[in-house]
Amino acid sequence: MADSIQQQLQQLVLLSDSVGTAGAGVGAGSVSTVEEAMEQLGPLIHSVYRANKQKLFRQQVDLFAQRKDTEIMKLCGNYHQEFVQSVAQLLKVRQNTSELQEKVVGLNAELQLSGKSLYEKKAELLSLRREHGNIQDAVDAVRGCLDVVRLVAGFDEQVVGKQYYSAIKTLSALKDQSLPQVRRFAFGRMLESSIPHMETKLQGAALRDMKDWLFGLKKTTRDIGSHLTSRMQRKQGMWAERDAAVQERYFVSSAVQFVLDEEYDHDEPLTVDMMPLYQCLHINEKLGRRAEFRRSFTEDRSDQLSLILASPVQFALAQLAPFEAMLFDVIGFFVVEHGILASAPDFRSKADVDTLWDAGIAKLSDIIARSIQTIRGDPAISQALQGSLTTFTYVMEENAYDVRKLRELMMAIFGV
């Protein structure tokens, strides 16, 4: 009975081993083998209990287990050295893994420090770039301010040096180009607020030069009047000779006489430098003050004519020189007016000049009227004055002025 139990147990173990060997791939075959083992174990246990051999069965199972333990111990003894080596290698790998982990942790710490340092350097670089940008903006602003300062200084030098055309260009560049770039600064706003003062300074300087020019015209206009009077007197002599040579006397107007004398007239005309006037006119146009300058010039010329006609004169034969000098001044004055009208008709209108001319003739008539009794009472004075006024009339007629009132005055005084 005991041998039978041992045999059956041995078959179950072999079957179990075959199941364990086939356990690498769990499939339908392994499941059927386990089922067969269980089917064989059932009848064995049934027969043991039926024969009442439970104690014997347990003993046999214990013996079988001891035998298997012996086999296991023997098997483990054969592979113990390899197992120990494997464990040693595993421990070594574990130690290496720990060291590697420590190195990784250290490397991570170093990387964190490097990253922090890189972040700090990056932040510092960004800060430096912002500072560099701010410095560059400041340099550009200072450069722009220096350009403005140079323009302002150059403007002052040009005004002092009477370089008014350059000064107006500098002022225009300052307003249109340089100041808009520095307007955001208090310095730029302060300079911008001073632009009207600079314009007034430039206008005042040009106006002073123009008035100095007007004052200096006093001698020039008298020279022009004296020259044109002498020239007209020569023409009058030629006319008298021409009339004496003609058998039949007939009237020839002064206009025809002027045309006939053109081929014999070789005198060089006197010229007047009007640059100060044109310069002042240009400056006021650029500054938008043309109308203001035109009014001022009209008033100045009217005052200047009044000063000329306010000169004290006496109608005595030996004292007609002051009156003749006055006529020279009037001739020169209106010759200059004629030149301004011809060269700048949009500035000086013919109506303005005609109004001034009418006022001058009226004043001249008043001067003569105050001494009319003296003039008519002395034939010598009357003849000299008639000659001066006749020549004066021809000169003004030759320069395109209306002399009808002059002729009416002479008719009233001398009856001719």
Side-chain angles (χ1 to χ4, degrees), residues 141-153 174 178-179 181-195:
V142 170
R143 186 177 292 113
C145 291
L146 287 176
D147 291 340
V148 171
V149 170
R150 278 194 292 268
L151 285 174
V152 172
L174 187 64
S178 299
L179 277 180
Q181 299 177 4
V182 296
R183 188 176 290 129
R184 63 184 184 276
F185 306 116
F187 168 76
R189 292 192 293 272
M190 180 186 69
L191 279 180
E192 188 173 28
S193 65
S194 68
I195 289 295

Side-chain angles (χ1 to χ4, degrees), residues 18-35:
S18 65
V19 171
T21 303
V26 178
S30 62
V31 173
S32 62
T33 304
V34 172
E35 290 178 353

Side-chain angles (χ1 to χ4, degrees), residues 62 71 143 317:
D62 290 339
E71 291 178 359
R143 186 177 292 113
L317 187 60

Side-chain angles (χ1 to χ4, degrees), residues 363-374:
K363 183 66 174 177
L364 188 61
S365 299
D366 290 342
I367 293 173
I368 296 174
R370 286 197 299 266
S371 302
I372 190 65
Q373 297 299 328
T374 303

Side-chain angles (χ1 to χ4, degrees), residues 243-313:
D243 290 343
V246 176
Q247 296 291 332
E248 297 182 5
R249 300 302 300 268
Y250 54 89
F251 175 76
V252 179
S253 68
S254 56
V256 175
Q257 296 281 19
F258 295 150
V259 173
L260 293 175
D261 290 341
E262 285 183 356
E263 57 178 315
Y264 303 107
D265 191 3
H266 302 297
D267 288 351
E268 290 292 333
L270 294 179
T271 58
V272 178
D273 181 15
M274 295 190 181
M275 179 58 70
L277 172 62
Y278 297 147
Q279 188 169 246
C280 193
L281 176 59
H282 175 74
I283 295 300
N284 281 274
E285 283 182 346
K286 291 297 184 179
L287 296 178
R289 302 180 181 182
R290 177 190 177 92
E292 176 186 345
F293 173 62
R294 188 170 181 271
R295 287 193 301 271
S296 174
F297 184 80
T298 300
E299 292 173 0
D300 290 342
R301 290 299 280 170
S302 179
D303 293 342
Q304 195 169 21
L305 180 61
S306 297
L307 287 175
I308 291 174
L309 295 174
S311 301
V313 295

